DNA sequence: CCTAAAGTATCATCGTCTGATACTTTGTCA
DNA sequence: TGACAAAGTATCAGACGATGATACTTTAGG
């Protein structure tokens, strides 16, 4: 379902959270769908179940999923959106462009990447 | 020169590094320019000089600046670029779009942000 | 030379991430 | 209806990393 990088600097739980956020945003999983159990997903990813549980809890705090003891975790209705501040998003856009520039990529490359993302989700 | 957020999750040294990277990429400081001393910048930001020193060392490892004991730190010629993998940049683009979508921003918002960045640097 | 100012090294502290383990709740089926 | 399996949750210890106080080394200039 998702993939993580054990060597990356970002914490595992954070990676799991981000990957699931992306999957939800892109419609790969829809509201009402069951997520794998923490043990299942942890097993698939070869990490501890607590790490997955932490990701789920964060997503719940963001209103993206709902967990119930003994039952499981399902994707929530997306009415209650977790609002990322505009300022932060613009900062990330800025850093992204700066890094691309320093890495020698061209304006055209970046535009292509951008437009491919625009086609992916339900924009 | 730059600003950092003491409450953010990303480490201080990393924030400093990213901010300076951005300043270099956007041409705010040019090759040959002196950066503030680690004590100076640390004082301005109210953080420890080691934290700034670590950021400088990372930037040197990336080939963006050159440090010399007793002399200072200077922005390097940008011939030796630090290459960020294409895969990582696309991943960041993807996460950014996903977050924006979940936060309720529109395609138009994102396009506007993107094009403003395109105008900023020396693309 | 001697001093001020630059980067560098060392080390202690503290927080946070991760994982092992045990607990609680829920649904189901004999 | 009781037992069991499977789900999320809680607790706690170990490890690792980030930060800062302090001392060291190098450089330039008077």
């Amino acid at each position: 379902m998702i993939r993580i990088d054990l060597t990356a600097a970002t914490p595992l739980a954070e990676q799991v959270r981000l990957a699931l956020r992306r999957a939800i945003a892109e419609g790969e999983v829809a509201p009402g769908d069951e997520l794998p159990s923490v043990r299942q997903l942890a097993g698939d990813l070869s990490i501890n179940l607590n790490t997955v549980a932490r990701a789920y809890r964060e997503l719940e705090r963001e209103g993206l999923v709902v967990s119930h003891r003994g039952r499981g975790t399902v994707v929530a209705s997306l009415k209650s959106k977790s609002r990322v501040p505009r300022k932060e998003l613009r900062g990330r856009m800025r850093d992204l462009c700066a890094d691309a520039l320093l890495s020698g990529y061209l304006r055209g490359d970046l535009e292509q990447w951008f437009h491919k993302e625009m086609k992916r989700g339900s924009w």
Side-chain angles (χ1 to χ4, degrees), chain A:
Chain A
M1 181 174 195
I2 64 176
R3 284 197 310 183
I4 59 175
D5 176 6
L6 290 173
T7 73
T10 55
L12 296 179
E14 182 74 357
Q15 288 186 52
V16 173
R17 180 186 138 252
L18 289 178
L20 291 174
R21 247 181 97 84
R22 213 167 45 189
I24 293 172
E26 292 175 358
E28 193 179 333
V29 290
D33 286 358
E34 282 253 347
L35 290 186
S37 77
V38 293
R39 284 171 182 80
Q40 175 72 44
L41 187 50
D44 291 352
L45 299 175
S46 302
I47 60 180
N48 192 272
L49 81 170
N50 280 313
T51 306
V52 175
R54 273 161 208 136
Y56 280 15
R57 219 169 311 160
E58 259 309 298
L59 290 170
E60 178 158 41
R61 213 183 52 78
E62 295 174 9
L64 293 180
V65 307
V66 178
S67 291
H68 285 295
R69 229 183 212 191
R71 289 200 272 149
T73 302
V74 298
V75 178
S77 111
L78 294 189
K79 292 304 173 191
S80 55
K81 289 167 298 221
S82 96
R83 190 98 188 165
V84 177
R86 187 188 131 96
K87 208 156 193 161
E88 184 197 313
L89 293 177
R90 293 215 49 179
R92 279 162 61 186
M93 176 75 88
R94 199 170 162 190
D95 281 334
L96 176 54
C97 290
D99 279 343
L101 175 55
L102 281 178
S103 295
Y105 296 101
L106 303 177
R107 180 195 172 108
D109 296 321
L110 216 33
E111 278 178 343
Q112 192 180 7
W113 302 345
F114 180 69
H115 287 113
K116 278 195 180 161
E117 290 311 321
M118 289 294 99
K119 283 193 207 143
R120 190 197 300 273
S122 53
W123 295 89

